Every structure is written in C-alpha cells, then in structure tokens.
C-alpha cells in the first residue's frame, strides 16, 4: 500500500487500487436516466456549523425527537488519507486477521442465495473487496480492530477518531465509563461495490456514528413513523444480543434489532460501475450518486415504500454521520469504502434509554426498587456525575445476578 501511494501520490486510496486492478473491470459508456425521486434527503451541514440541540435533537413540536444528520468535513482529505495509508494499512500484517463476508445472489440479483464467511489477512480482505459486485459482494465489519493490544498506532488512531467525534457534542459520553470488558468498541467497516450492511437499528438505543475515511457510502434510513413498534413489526424484526455480562450467568445486557428485508435489493443495469464513477469529475459524480440514492428504480427496496418514511444521503471522505436511536438504517456501496463506525451515549436523551434498555434486557426491569434507584426520565439535572451513575448501575446488576 505504501508503494501504491508513493507511485500515485495524487490519487486516493480507491483510485490507486483501481489503477492497479483495472483488469477486473469492464469500462465503457453508460446511460443514466434520472427517474422519480421517492426518498427524502438527510440534512447535511458543515461540521463547523453543527449544534446538536438544533440539528440533531428536537423539541416536542418536531415530528421526531432526533433525526439523522451528516456533518461534512469533520476531517480533511489529507487527514483521512494519512489515517488509511500511514496507520491502518501500515498496521496490516499476516497477524491482522479479519472476517470477510461474501454474499452471492442469483443471476437476476433478486434473491440472496448464499453467504460465506472467511477469515483472512487485512491485505487479502482489501484485495477481495476490490473484486466486489452487486451479485457477488464483499464486506468486512471488524469490531475491536483499532483497540487491539500492542497496536499503538491503531490505538492512537482510535483515540483521534473518538476525540474528533466528541468535539462535536456538548454532553458527556457515558460509554467511556463502562467496565472495560464490556465497553463497546469501534468497528472498521470496509465495503466493496454492491456490498450492503444488514438492515438494523442499534443496540442500547444509543447515538450511532460513522466516519468515512475513503470512498463513499449510500445510506438509507427508515423513520420511526408512525411508531417504533409499528416499523419493527413491519420489518419482521428480531433481536441479536450484542453485550453479555461476563460472569457465570452470561446475562445479556444489550440486544439490537435486525431485519431480513433489504433497502437495496435490486440494482438497475444503468447504474454506473465503481470504475466509471471513479473516472467522473467529482461534482458530477456526487450529484449522480445522490440521484441514484434517492431513486428507488435504480436501487430498489423489497418492502412497500408507503409503509414508512425513507431518507437517504451520500457520505464522502471526512464526513461523519450521526444516527439516532430507533431509526432503521442500511448502507450500500456504489464504490469501495473504508469507514469507522462508533457510538456514544450522551447525558441528554441517550442515558435514560440506555439504563432502561440494560435493565429490561437483563430481565431486571421487574425489580421495582432497583429500577427506581437507577432509572430517571432525565439525568440532565442530576448532581451525581455519569461515572458514579454508571458505576452504581453495574454494581447493582452484579449484586442482583449473584443473588439469583
């Protein structure tokens, strides 16, 4: 990767890989017709203008308590390139093992026929991602990669990204006070062309974040309208445990929501390839990608669109996406990308949801005295600092579980 960067220093990581792997793509003229736009647009603002109490959290007069927002240029392109080439890729070695997810669709692309999981080195994973297509997509979702022991450069990168995220908010992140063995980690996400995440909403009902470092990502969201429960039922959602208390009881403390529906089930033949997009002038490219993201005839979901409100946005390098609790979301790759997904639990709004979620998931919400002792509708005016509240939460859980 260093050799690539030295030979073509003016190109992005994605462009450099395309240059070296051009044999994998058939490049030709393509036709694109902008169809009807059925999807709303996520608000996008410069990061320097962001005020969470204006752009993210809303009062009772707003349709939703929180809405997704894209913060542009949290990092500049030079910072992103250094993080990818000088830190992430430099740390790639035979000992850096990741899990590659490969999805194979039928010839029509309408039915997922199989999914394979392969352990491989980070370098091998990147090579595989560059061969990704809609019908044969490759995706890496690697939690804890930046927090590995004895990886000082990766640990430093994790701290820099966290600092960039937290500089945008005014309330304290409670997750930093979790016990180290169950504290949620960041996740390095590498997606090839045609790759999708699962359709899901996040565990612990926290605020999710995604910081794109390379390439672009198409995001679609389903609003919690008319209610969270109605959308959950519409999507035939099921729960996936994400954090467990590491004791003899192995009690789940958190569970996310997932669905087997797909907001990007089929892809129109006239959607340009990643290679074709890479060769376009940037302004034209992003305008075209935005049109594709909003047009359900180009990237067609397999659920009724009139069932709920759907929003979309294109995330570029340096952009940070803020993802509210209760909003279902899924990503799609029109071109390869690298991003770091993370999360926070702010004192305002997030903290009450988190405490309730943990007690309910652990089966302790029925303990009236414990619930009264730990849960509050709002922690904004609490005289007890978040560190102590979180400490009491896990102490009480440990005591309760040990007595069972």
């Amino acid at each position: 990767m260093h050799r690539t960067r030295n030979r073509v220093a003016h190109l992005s990581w994605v462009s450099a890989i395309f240059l070296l792997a051009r044999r994998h793509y058939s490049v030709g003229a393509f036709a694109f017709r902008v169809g009807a736009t059925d999807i709303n647009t996520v608000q996008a603002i410069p990061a320097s203008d962001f005020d969470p109490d204006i752009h993210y959290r809303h009062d009772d007069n707003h349709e939703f308590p929180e809405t997704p927002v894209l913060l542009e240029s949290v990092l500049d392109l030079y910072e992103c390139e250094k993080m990818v080439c000088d830190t992430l890729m430099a740390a790639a070695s035979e000992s850096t093992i990741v899990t590659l997810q490969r999805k194979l669709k039928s010839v029509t692309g309408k039915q997922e026929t199989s999914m394979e999981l392969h352990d491989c080195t980070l370098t091998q994973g990147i090579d595989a991602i560059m061969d990704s297509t809609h019908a044969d997509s490759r995706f890496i979702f690697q939690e804890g990669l930046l927090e590995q022991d004895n990886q000082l450069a990766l640990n430093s990168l994790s701290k820099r990204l966290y600092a960039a995220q937290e500089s945008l908010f005014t309330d304290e992140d409670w997750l930093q006070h979790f016990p180290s063995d169950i504290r949620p980690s960041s996740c390095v996400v590498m997606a090839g062309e045609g790759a999708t995440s699962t359709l899901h909403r996040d565990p612990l009902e926290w605020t999710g974040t995604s910081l794109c470092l390379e390439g672009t990502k198409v995001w679609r969201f389903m609003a919690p309208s008319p209610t969270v429960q109605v959308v959950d039922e519409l999507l035939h959602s099921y729960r996936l445990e994400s954090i467990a208390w590491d004791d003899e009881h192995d009690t789940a403390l958190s569970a996310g929501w997932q669905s087997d529906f797909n907001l990007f089930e089929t892809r129109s033949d006239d959607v340009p390839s990643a290679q074709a997009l890479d060769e376009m002038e940037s302004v034209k490219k992003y305008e075209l990608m935005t049109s594709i993201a909003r047009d359900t005839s180009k990237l067609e979901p397999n659920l009724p669109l009139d069932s709920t409100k759907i929003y979309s946005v294109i995330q570029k390098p340096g952009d940070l996406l803020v993802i509210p609790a209760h909003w279902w979301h899924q990503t799609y790759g029109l071109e390869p990308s690298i991003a770091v997904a993370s999360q926070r639990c702010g004192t305002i709004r997030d903290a009450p949801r988190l405490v309730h979620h943990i007690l309910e998931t652990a089966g302790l919400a029925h303990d009236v005295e414990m619930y009264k002792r730990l849960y509050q509708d709002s922690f904004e005016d609490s005289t007890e600092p978040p560190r102590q509240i979180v400490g009491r939460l896990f102490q009480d859980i440990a005591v309760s579980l040990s007595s069972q």
Side-chain angles (χ1 to χ4, degrees):
M1 185 58 65
H2 278 295
R3 289 195 298 272
T4 300
R5 184 165 178 257
N6 290 337
R7 288 176 58 192
V8 283
H10 64 289
L11 296 178
S12 69
W13 171 81
V14 172
S15 298
I17 293 292
F18 273 129
L19 183 64
L20 297 178
R22 191 177 296 271
R23 64 184 182 276
H24 296 303
Y25 295 88
S26 176
V27 182
F30 64 88
F32 180 79
R33 294 175 291 103
V34 177
T37 54
D38 311 293
I39 297 179
N40 304 286
T41 302
V42 170
Q43 178 181 205
I45 60 171
S48 57
D49 293 342
F50 178 58
D51 183 335
D53 292 319
I54 296 175
H55 304 110
Y56 177 61
R57 294 185 289 262
H58 309 294
D59 59 28
D60 294 338
N61 295 322
H62 197 279
E63 187 176 7
F64 306 111
E66 298 100 13
T67 50
V69 57
L70 183 77
L71 307 183
E72 299 172 320
S73 302
V74 170
L75 300 175
D76 62 38
L77 294 179
Y78 177 72
E79 289 179 290
C80 292
E81 183 181 356
K82 283 187 66 66
M83 287 180 177
V84 171
C85 293
D86 294 352
T87 304
L88 191 58
M89 295 302 106
S93 66
E94 292 302 315
S95 62
T96 306
I97 303 299
V98 298
T99 300
L100 177 74
Q101 179 187 102
R102 183 182 184 186
K103 290 183 181 179
L104 295 166
K105 290 181 178 288
S106 62
V107 176
T108 61
K110 291 187 177 181
Q111 181 180 2
E112 186 177 306
T113 55
S114 66
M115 183 176 75
E116 304 171 357
L117 297 177
H118 303 277
D119 287 340
C120 60
T121 66
L122 182 57
T123 302
Q124 290 170 335
I126 292 171
D127 289 342
I129 280 173
M130 299 313 299
D131 289 329
S132 181
T133 66
H134 182 85
D136 183 2
S137 63
R138 291 87 185 280
F139 187 84
I140 293 171
F141 188 87
Q142 199 71 27
E143 294 181 309
L145 182 63
L146 303 184
E147 290 82 17
Q148 295 179 88
D149 293 335
N150 303 318
Q151 290 282 354
L152 297 181
L154 293 178
N155 300 163
S156 177
L157 175 58
S158 176
K159 292 176 181 177
R160 287 166 62 196
L161 294 175
Y162 180 75
Q165 167 187 296
E166 288 305 296
S167 68
L168 301 164
F169 293 90
T170 55
D171 55 347
E172 188 171 351
D173 176 23
W174 286 35
L175 297 179
Q176 65 180 318
H177 305 308
F178 270 43
S180 59
D181 57 333
I182 60 172
R183 185 182 305 139
S185 62
S186 61
C187 179
V188 174
V189 183
M190 299 182 177
E193 179 182 2
T196 63
S197 65
T198 59
L199 177 59
H200 68 282
R201 66 181 181 93
D202 291 343
L204 283 176
E205 299 173 72
W206 54 38
T207 292
T209 64
S210 170
L211 183 54
C212 185
L213 299 178
E214 273 289 353
T216 56
K217 298 168 74 73
V218 179
W219 286 80
R220 281 182 178 169
F221 293 87
M222 295 182 67
S225 175
T227 68
V228 178
Q229 291 72 27
V230 167
V231 179
D232 287 354
E233 291 175 5
L234 168 77
L235 295 176
H236 301 167
S237 67
Y238 50 92
R239 305 295 297 275
L240 292 177
E241 294 180 2
S242 59
I243 297 177
W245 187 261
D246 189 17
D247 69 352
E248 61 200 69
H249 302 281
D250 196 28
T251 302
L253 299 182
S254 173
W257 291 259
Q258 189 162 303
S259 170
D260 292 330
F261 284 102
N262 192 336
L263 296 181
F264 308 96
E265 178 68 10
T266 58
R267 170 175 169 150
S268 173
D269 291 339
D270 60 0
V271 172
S273 69
Q275 177 64 50
L277 286 169
D278 187 64
E279 295 177 348
M280 294 176 64
E281 186 271 327
S282 61
V283 173
K284 180 181 178 183
K285 167 185 168 180
Y286 292 133
E287 288 177 350
L288 180 56
M289 294 176 81
T290 298
S291 296
I292 294 170
R294 294 189 62 204
D295 189 345
T296 55
S297 71
K298 303 304 175 187
L299 296 173
E300 183 179 358
N302 65 350
L303 74 160
L305 280 181
D306 58 0
S307 58
T308 188
K309 293 183 178 179
I310 296 183
Y311 294 73
S312 73
V313 72
I314 298 295
Q315 185 184 24
K316 303 183 294 295
D319 293 349
L320 183 135
L321 190 63
V322 184
I323 306 162
H326 304 154
W327 283 68
W328 285 82
H329 50 280
Q330 187 175 18
T331 62
Y332 183 83
L334 287 172
E335 64 180 359
S337 66
I338 298 177
V340 176
S342 190
Q343 56 281 314
R344 72 183 312 274
C345 173
T347 302
I348 305 173
R349 304 267 178 95
D350 290 330
R353 290 192 294 245
L354 177 138
V355 173
H356 174 78
H357 182 106
I358 289 178
L359 294 177
E360 182 179 53
T361 307
L364 300 175
H366 65 277
D367 187 331
V368 177
E369 291 302 316
M370 182 179 186
Y371 197 85
K372 285 183 178 179
R373 189 165 60 249
L374 293 170
Y375 178 79
Q376 297 179 36
D377 289 332
S378 173
F379 290 95
E380 291 182 65
D381 299 323
S382 175
T383 57
E384 189 176 13
R387 181 184 296 275
Q388 291 184 16
I389 300 174
V390 173
R392 282 197 301 108
L393 172 66
F394 287 105
Q395 182 178 32
D396 280 16
I397 290 174
V399 171
S400 179
L401 293 179
S402 64
S403 64
Q404 292 181 2

